[in-house]
Amino acid sequence: MSTVVTDTHSAHDAHDHHDHKPTGIKRWLFTTNHKDIGTMYLWFSFLMFLVGGSMALMIRAELFQPGMQLVDPHFFNQMTTMHGVIMVFGAVMPAFVGLANWMIPLMIGAPDMALPRMNNWSFWILPFAFLILLSSFLMPGGAPAFGWTFYAPLSTTYSTDSTALFVFSMHIMGMSSIMGAINVIVTIMNMRAPGMTYMKMPLFVWTWFITAFLLIAVMPVLAGVVTMVLTDKYFGTFFFDAAGGGDPVLFQHLFWFFGHPEVYIMILPSFGIVSAIIPAFARKPLFGYASMVYATASIAGLSFLVWAHHMFTTGMPTFASLFFMYMTMLIAVPTGVKVFNWVTTMWRGAMTFETPMLFAIAFVVLFTIGGLSGIMLAITPVDYQYHDTYFVVAHFHYVLVSGAVFSIMAAAYYWLPKWSGVMYDDFLSKLHFWASLISVNILFFPMHFVGLAGMPRRIPDYALQFADINAIVSVGGFLFGFSQLIFLAVVVKAALKKGEPAPAKPWEGAEGLEWTVPSPAPYHTFDVPPQVK
Amino acid sequence: MKVRLTSLLLGLLALFATPLAYADSLQLNMTRGVTDISQRVYNLHMLVFWICVVIGVIVFSVMFWSILRHRKSRGVTPAKFHDNVKVEIAWTVIPFLILVAMAVPATTTLLKMDDTSDSDMSVLITGSQWRWHYSYLDYDIEYMSNLATPREQIYGRLPRTENYLLEVDRPLVIPTGKKVRFLITSDDVIHSWWVPEFAVKKDANPGYINEAWTRVDQPGIYRGQCAELCGRDHAFMPVVVIAKDPEDFEAWARSEEQRLADRRAEEERLLAMEMSKEELMEMGQQVHMSYCAACHQPNGQGVPGVFPGLVGQGIAVNDKTAHIDVVWNGVSGSAMQSFRNTLTMREIAAVVTYQRNAWGNNTGDVVQAADVHNFSQGNQ
Amino acid sequence: MNQQQPKRQDNSRVITRLLASVMIMFAFGFALVPLYEKFCEITGFNGRTSSKAATADSGMQVDQSRVITVEFHTRVSRGVPWEFRPEVRSLRLHPGEVKTVNFYVENKTNRDVVAQALPSVAPGEASLFLNKTECFCFENQPLAAGETAVMPMQFYLDPDLPDHVHRLTLSYMMYDLTEQARPRTARVERSE
């Protein structure tokens, strides 16, 4: 997250004739440069992270005590819905696309993404998608209030007209993701430097390559589902309405056919990031590179066969429950392989603990906790007790916040010197890490307890026995939320070039082509493809 | 790094110690429940939990050992190894075997849960926004079950009592020792009927019927909630089940059948009786607060764009018969449900009168139970 | 950048394929709807009974050794001003035995209504073995204002009904299809 260098002339070597770039607003509006677009994606996602985060704080403020104090239940439902949609589609996914834009060309020795103009498009339609979505707050009845999973018929017959805006913005986000995915695939297939074979690609490139195929496979299905919701609501179709022979459970099958691969879309690039950072600071090559690639591919493949584990309580025949339970448990195997590989990479290394490494280690621990509660959730008979409780909320926030978001933070610290040309403020970054680590656990760990004790999710008010833990959780929520402002400070400082100048390779053990170009990375890199041995 | 390790150990300790320390005041673990199935589910939960804890402890111990010992500041030279086929095969196969070990008890428990055969009685449970309706298929009993917690407690004007949000006006009553089969469906959106102590959670899907069952051995009161987001008052539709000895249950069922029959007879008898406008307004206000206020709000203003307001516009000031029609039949494809089986004719007459005269509507209309009866018989 | 020339052709081939996959997946999303219906029909996944009349096999053996309880339940959806009830609450029969149950319906309004009854069976797997030779639910039921009707439903249980099923419930929900093409958001406003 930084602005790209304004004065690149000092930093660059043989490419003067290329280093001409427009200035001012036009540079950002019309840019086709992968670094500029990556930067915009990252800033956009951080903005959305703050917007979605403030919604989470409103949720936590209402839940601080039993009783209705601050908001109306209907507004509370709007908050949970928009928090989910914004965090998934506005914060986590664009952050990964931003990282892909910045780093994939640098990592494979390409001068830019393969389709730079489409790249510009896929970014610039995103702000409009979210403007449309957020403008629904101004409608009578407010924003969508049916949860980010928009189960029919709550989202069709029983919703307000904001559903139409929700559907349109989902379509735009979907198009943006699909264009981004096409760009990543074409870039990786066609733009690799000579000698960069598939099995030499950094794992971040590999995980993104697989993620992009997942996006191509499931975003169109999401587009189909939201279209069906729209026609059910406005054009008299009966896809999900029993009155006309439809089935509301069909909606859930279609949604989760998209939704479960979507979960992996939000975690696979994290695996790539952590697989880059841990070897760099352990000063030891990644253990089991090939098995990492196969594990990623098998997780992606299995993700198409597990969707109904979100739906055990909808009333499935036993054979279906068993099938989805077994398949879901099976995912633990490749995921376990990854965790074991990371731990073994650390084993007998020579570790140092700079901020990116701290976040990566926290990722491994907390993601594993989220993964283990995932195994518990896979067991159908006990899932009847966990389903739709705070136990589930705790589980997916462990994998998405202390998983995906922590990995994005790790990536930001790891590559910030390359992006900005200066080292980040070490003290502030450590403060950010420790504040985040402690508060994220105060926030999400106790949620397991209230969930097990029987508190359903998505409720604005609760029975008295859940009061103490909810108070603790809310305190953790505010601490975590405000800790992220430290991150903002660190990034702004680096973007303003306040800090030690960074060398081309600021991390002793780092590997990869991105460290062969100067810091900050010049506007144009690898015009002459490097030779990879 | 010492800090991290200690905090982790403390965290783990807290995880196991706190449930014991606060076991009676603060519930931190899944309920064991009161049925054979719920005990099995609890045991399965604990089994899987401990397996996960052991895996976690092993993996994190290795990692933290490495973090403590293999650090550059201790002057170590990094090793160079980067794969080992034997190790990699081992940590693919061993987790797989652990999973198989978990899958076996999981499968047997699931097969038991899904076996609805040989049931002794059936109860049809219908969810609607935001109350449950219970209908005993083997008896002449059906009724609505509404949240009993007063609004004043929710909005902090009265102190909250022990069963805040987990209390209803008419609980479901079932006999102990009998296999009770629940048929679960919905009238509008998807709800989910959940009683943790039975380990029963099943979605109520509109237009489809789902099945679950329980056999409770201990008489008692068991509380649960709707578990699927179902709109504005999702948090306010609890489930309360009372399990009674079979004799007590039979006695209850007979008296309940009698009560419902009496109510119908009473209704017939009172049809001819005119109530004064004041009586109607008073009763109507109560009915409005219990049944209408969740959507139309206590002040009748509704929620713009979601639930229509009743003040100075719409059904409450236009045609009287249309107003009765909406309350009696509901409105298809909207959140407005039918109250013909929920409220008595007197109550419907009262609430219609109230809504037509409260909040400055002042239509002056007085609706009597006989008008509702005439409407229901098609004489409009 | 002379080596980019061949790559650009490569690009368009990859892009075409990817775009085609996007289109295929979009279509696949919609294809899942009939696939799901077919799947449910074959497995009894969602508990719907067949919407086509079955013909009882004359050589079918009545299984005297088993007695199955079939419960009937009826409901009307919101806004349908009808009375709708079965003549019996439940009946007991042997698999293979053909029985008829009458359902009574009365339109209590002064408007004509077209309704459709949709069946749901619990347990869902039993829906595969509940065969109707005649049913009002195969078609729409138009009912004039104030009209009453008796609607028969003739069925038998397939003797292959799994052994562990002793009791099954057939529920009918009556839906108003009079104005089925009307856009449904407008209804919230119209209820005012």
Side-chain angles (χ1 to χ4, degrees):
Chain A
M1 300 207 181
S2 94
T3 53
V4 175
V5 238
T6 40
D7 168 30
T8 48
H9 275 272
S10 58
H12 81 98
D13 28 306
H15 320 301
D16 294 73
H17 57 291
H18 270 303
D19 218 50
H20 149 85
K21 65 182 172 234
T23 47
I25 185 78
K26 276 193 175 169
R27 166 177 170 196
W28 300 104
L29 273 180
F30 300 119
T31 185
T32 55
N33 180 291
H34 73 102
K35 300 183 184 84
D36 282 357
I37 294 173
T39 304
M40 290 194 293
Y41 262 114
L42 289 169
W43 277 114
F44 177 77
S45 74
F46 192 67
L47 177 71
M48 285 295 127
F49 183 61
L50 294 182
V51 173
S54 355
M55 292 172 178
L57 293 189
M58 270 187 256
I59 294 171
R60 283 322 318 173
E62 176 58 54
L63 289 173
F64 182 65
Q65 280 182 4
M68 297 303 305
Q69 281 93 16
L70 304 170
V71 298
D72 181 82
H74 182 66
F75 185 75
F76 183 90
N77 289 345
Q78 297 174 38
M79 286 292 105
T80 52
T81 306
M82 295 294 270
H83 166 72
V85 173
I86 287 176
M87 287 305 199
V88 168
F89 295 99
V92 175
M93 288 170 70
F96 282 135
V97 180
L99 291 173
N101 262 297
W102 246 107
M103 300 319 298
I104 288 178
L106 285 180
M107 285 176 155
I108 62 173
D112 202 322
M113 296 294 279
L115 311 162
R117 276 184 295 272
M118 192 168 84
N119 208 6
N120 172 292
W121 260 66
S122 68
F123 173 75
W124 274 112
I125 58 177
L126 261 194
F128 293 98
F130 283 89
L131 271 180
I132 292 174
L133 185 65
L134 288 168
S135 70
S136 64
F137 275 111
L138 306 174
M139 295 181 76
F146 34 64
W148 86 276
T149 49
F150 61 108
Y151 279 11
L154 193 58
S155 61
T156 56
T157 317
Y158 299 88
S159 68
T160 63
D161 283 327
S162 60
T163 306
L165 297 190
F166 173 83
V167 168
F168 292 140
S169 68
M170 281 295 208
H171 273 303
I172 302 174
M173 292 171 209
M175 276 190 262
S176 166
S177 296
I178 289 170
M179 286 198 275
I182 290 178
N183 214 342
V184 166
I185 293 174
V186 178
T187 306
I188 294 173
M189 288 178 81
N190 288 346
M191 307 276 287
R192 280 168 290 126
M196 175 67 81
T197 59
Y198 279 112
M199 287 315 269
K200 277 186 188 162
M201 294 193 310
L203 260 173
F204 179 71
V205 180
W206 252 118
T207 52
W208 238 113
F209 192 47
I210 293 166
T211 302
F213 279 106
L214 284 181
L215 281 166
I216 299 268
V218 300
M219 291 313 280
V221 176
L222 175 68
V225 182
V226 292
T227 308
M228 289 180 216
V229 164
L230 190 77
T231 60
D232 258 20
K233 185 167 173 65
Y234 291 104
F235 304 108
T237 58
F238 290 93
F239 288 109
F240 310 129
D241 185 348
D247 187 343
V249 175
L250 169 65
F251 171 88
Q252 297 179 34
H253 283 292
L254 294 178
F255 177 80
W256 288 114
F257 183 82
F258 146 80
H260 202 79
E262 167 71 16
V263 170
Y264 292 112
I265 287 167
M266 291 190 284
I267 202 68
L268 293 185
S270 304
F271 295 163
I273 292 165
V274 172
S275 303
I277 292 175
I278 289 180
F281 296 95
R283 292 168 181 75
K284 187 164 157 278
L286 181 71
F287 187 86
Y289 171 89
S291 66
M292 283 296 217
V293 173
Y294 301 137
T296 310
S298 49
I299 291 173
L302 280 172
S303 75
F304 289 99
L305 297 172
V306 298
W307 77 87
H309 68 215
H310 299 268
M311 305 166 52
F312 285 140
T313 63
T314 56
M316 265 188 274
T318 314
F319 74 87
S321 297
L322 287 175
F323 172 80
F324 287 110
M325 172 170 83
Y326 297 151
M327 283 297 149
T328 307
M329 292 170 79
L330 215 50
I331 284 197
V333 174
T335 315
V337 166
K338 289 187 161 289
V339 174
F340 302 142
N341 281 343
W342 291 322
V343 172
T344 318
T345 304
M346 291 184 213
W347 188 255
R348 290 183 53 211
M351 274 184 272
T352 51
F353 301 94
E354 288 84 349
T355 313
M357 182 63 163
L358 291 176
F359 270 103
I361 291 172
F363 169 92
V364 174
V365 175
L366 301 178
F367 171 79
T368 304
I369 292 177
L372 291 171
S373 61
I375 297 179
M376 299 173 75
L377 282 158
I379 313 283
T380 314
V382 274
D383 178 72
Y384 289 139
Q385 293 283 46
Y386 306 140
H387 179 74
D388 266 333
T389 68
Y390 262 82
F391 190 80
V392 177
V393 179
H395 159 73
F396 69 72
H397 281 95
Y398 260 84
V399 288
L400 279 180
V401 180
S402 53
V405 173
F406 269 31
S407 78
I408 293 166
M409 305 276 183
Y413 284 116
Y414 186 56
W415 285 308
L416 203 51
K418 182 59 58 195
W419 300 338
S420 68
V422 297
M423 298 306 288
Y424 53 78
D425 185 317
D426 192 51
F427 171 76
L428 281 183
S429 72
K430 294 244 161 76
L431 183 69
H432 172 227
F433 170 74
W434 288 107
S436 299
L437 178 73
I438 293 166
S439 58
V440 88
N441 284 295
I442 300 176
L443 168 56
F444 296 123
F445 204 78
M447 283 186 182
H448 292 112
F449 299 135
V450 263
L452 291 175
M455 177 165 161
R457 64 192 280 208
R458 291 167 168 168
I459 54 172
D461 194 5
Y462 47 83
L464 299 180
Q465 67 263 34
F466 307 132
D468 296 344
I469 292 180
N470 270 289
I472 297 171
V473 167
S474 288
V475 169
F478 277 86
L479 289 176
F480 182 73
F482 286 104
S483 302
Q484 303 321 306
L485 298 179
I486 310 173
F487 181 60
L488 181 65
V490 175
V491 174
V492 168
K493 229 179 133 182
L496 296 174
K497 316 275 168 229
K498 301 248 168 61
E500 297 274 304
K505 188 177 142 188
W507 317 117
E508 189 190 356
E511 298 276 351
L513 289 176
E514 75 262 38
W515 307 111
T516 62
V517 301
S519 296
Y523 202 57
H524 297 286
T525 38
F526 297 129
D527 279 349
V528 178
Q531 193 68 38
V532 180
K533 288 184 284 297
Chain B
M1 267 327 96
K2 282 231 167 71
V3 186
R4 281 182 59 87
L5 194 66
T6 358
S7 67
L8 182 90
L9 285 175
L10 276 178
L12 283 174
L13 221 96
L15 176 62
F16 309 126
T18 38
L20 304 174
Y22 298 100
D24 43 349
S25 65
L26 192 60
Q27 190 193 344
L28 296 174
N29 198 358
M30 184 188 284
T31 174
R32 280 173 195 272
V34 292
T35 65
D36 173 51
I37 288 290
S38 73
Q39 310 271 354
R40 283 168 184 273
V41 167
Y42 174 82
N43 292 335
L44 189 57
H45 156 72
M46 290 316 287
L47 171 76
V48 180
F49 171 72
W50 283 114
I51 291 176
C52 288
V53 168
V54 170
I55 295 172
V57 167
I58 293 173
V59 172
F60 298 148
S61 309
V62 172
M63 190 170 141
F64 282 105
W65 173 263
S66 177
I67 286 172
L68 287 177
R69 306 290 300 195
H70 307 142
R71 37 173 63 215
K72 199 186 172 202
S73 55
R74 292 170 58 95
V76 293
T77 15
K80 293 267 179 273
F81 67 88
H82 54 78
D83 43 22
N84 182 329
V85 177
K86 277 182 198 154
V87 173
E88 288 176 70
I89 289 175
W91 68 41
T92 310
V93 173
I94 293 170
F96 183 79
L97 296 178
I98 296 174
L99 290 173
V100 172
M102 290 196 266
V104 173
T107 306
T108 49
T109 307
L110 184 68
L111 291 175
K112 273 210 175 305
M113 286 175 113
D114 279 1
D115 177 14
T116 53
S117 61
D118 280 328
S119 59
D120 297 305
M121 60 179 282
S122 306
V123 182
L124 184 91
I125 300 171
T126 310
S128 61
Q129 287 176 325
W130 292 277
R131 47 184 65 90
W132 296 101
H133 178 265
Y134 300 116
S135 169
Y136 292 75
L137 297 190
D138 312 270
Y139 297 86
D140 213 2
I141 302 174
E142 57 170 315
Y143 52 85
M144 279 284 180
S145 177
N146 295 286
L147 175 73
T149 304
R151 275 181 91 84
E152 286 75 20
Q153 287 193 19
I154 296 171
Y155 287 93
R157 292 189 288 271
L158 280 177
R160 299 188 179 95
T161 45
E162 191 191 345
N163 292 315
Y164 177 68
L165 297 188
L166 295 178
E167 50 200 349
V168 297
D169 53 359
R170 285 186 190 286
L172 174 70
V173 180
I174 57 170
T176 54
K178 294 265 167 74
K179 184 164 184 173
V180 183
R181 176 166 164 264
F182 301 119
L183 298 160
I184 302 168
T185 184
S186 165
D187 259 353
D188 38 44
V189 300
I190 299 173
H191 303 270
S192 191
W193 195 81
W194 181 29
V195 180
E197 276 149 314
F198 305 164
V200 170
K201 183 187 284 155
K202 213 49 154 191
D203 288 1
N205 299 319
Y208 293 83
I209 289 204
N210 253 332
E211 225 183 358
W213 65 273
T214 193
R215 188 200 306 269
V216 184
D217 292 322
Q218 289 163 270
I221 302 177
Y222 305 107
R223 298 171 197 276
Q225 293 190 67
C226 175
E228 180 62 60
L229 176 64
C230 55
R232 183 174 183 275
D233 280 1
H234 165 51
F236 306 103
M237 53 182 295
V239 174
V240 180
V241 182
I242 298 184
K244 288 178 192 277
D245 290 332
E247 303 82 60
D248 293 350
F249 173 80
E250 282 304 327
W252 171 85
R254 272 191 304 277
S255 77
E256 187 67 15
E257 277 180 328
Q258 190 59 47
R259 185 184 70 82
L260 291 167
D262 287 350
R263 200 174 84 150
R264 283 190 292 271
E266 171 88 349
E267 179 128 331
E268 292 277 309
R269 196 170 64 76
L270 292 175
L271 276 181
M273 191 200 273
E274 296 258 311
M275 285 170 80
S276 75
K277 191 176 169 191
E278 286 68 37
E279 282 175 293
L280 286 166
M281 288 294 281
E282 193 189 324
M283 186 190 227
Q285 183 174 17
Q286 280 170 10
V287 175
H288 179 83
M289 295 308 286
S290 316
Y291 290 89
C292 315
C295 299
H296 298 294
Q297 303 302 305
N299 59 8
Q301 292 292 347
V303 178
V306 193
F307 305 119
L310 302 172
V311 182
Q313 52 158 349
I315 56 157
V317 291
N318 295 328
D319 181 37
K320 191 166 75 178
T321 314
H323 192 169
I324 299 172
D325 186 356
V326 165
V327 179
W328 184 260
N329 287 317
V331 178
S332 93
S334 81
M336 182 64 200
Q337 54 197 276
S338 158
F339 286 94
R340 65 173 129 173
N341 296 323
T342 314
L343 299 174
T344 64
M345 289 186 184
R346 269 154 67 91
E347 286 169 329
I348 290 177
V351 78
V352 170
T353 306
Y354 175 72
Q355 290 169 348
R356 300 184 76 77
N357 292 289
W359 320 301
N361 277 352
N362 300 333
T363 56
D365 292 338
V366 175
V367 178
Q368 296 290 348
D371 300 327
V372 180
H373 181 256
N374 282 341
F375 170 83
S376 73
Q377 296 307 308
N379 315 320
Q380 297 145 23
Chain C
M1 307 299 97
N2 34 8
Q3 74 263 54
Q4 280 194 346
Q5 207 47 43
K7 282 198 174 152
R8 194 159 294 158
Q9 268 185 336
D10 256 350
N11 283 1
S12 61
R13 213 174 67 215
V14 178
I15 295 166
T16 320
R17 283 185 189 171
L18 290 175
L19 283 176
S21 323
V22 169
M23 288 302 161
I24 290 168
M25 287 312 291
F26 187 70
F28 177 69
F30 283 89
L32 281 173
V33 178
L35 280 175
Y36 176 77
E37 273 164 22
K38 199 77 203 162
F39 183 72
C40 290
E41 213 177 290
I42 297 167
T43 61
F45 202 79
N46 63 356
R48 279 270 185 267
T49 52
S50 170
S51 57
K52 290 186 192 69
T55 31
D57 179 2
S58 51
M60 186 172 59
Q61 288 293 312
V62 175
D63 182 354
Q64 299 287 354
S65 64
R66 296 171 65 195
V67 182
I68 311 291
T69 306
V70 181
E71 299 168 329
F72 302 100
H73 186 263
T74 54
R75 294 184 305 144
V76 292
S77 87
R78 257 172 213 176
V80 181
W82 290 14
E83 294 296 327
F84 174 39
R85 59 178 200 280
E87 71 178 336
V88 287
R89 202 179 269 160
S90 66
L91 58 79
R92 292 161 66 75
L93 80 171
H94 303 295
E97 198 180 342
V98 180
K99 290 260 182 174
T100 303
V101 179
N102 286 319
F103 288 74
Y104 296 103
V105 65
E106 181 181 1
N107 180 356
K108 291 201 156 189
T109 53
N110 53 4
R111 59 190 164 97
D112 301 351
V113 175
V114 180
Q116 167 83 54
L118 285 170
S120 180
V121 174
E125 57 178 330
S127 65
L128 294 177
F129 303 93
L130 184 103
N131 299 312
K132 298 174 197 166
T133 49
E134 188 191 336
C135 183
F136 55 92
C137 58
F138 294 153
E139 277 150 26
N140 292 342
Q141 299 295 318
L143 210 58
E147 196 186 346
T148 58
V150 177
M151 307 189 298
M153 194 268 291
Q154 191 181 58
F155 74 104
Y156 65 92
L157 294 173
D158 194 307
D160 294 335
L161 183 74
D163 283 337
H164 59 88
V165 178
H166 304 105
R167 181 192 282 258
L168 60 94
T169 308
L170 172 59
S171 165
Y172 280 106
M173 178 92 164
M174 190 66 91
Y175 289 96
D176 185 352
L177 287 194
T178 317
E179 293 176 70
Q180 75 160 253
R182 188 165 62 159
R184 270 163 298 156
T185 329
R187 292 188 194 184
V188 180
E189 270 85 45
R190 226 165 279 175
S191 68
E192 292 178 350

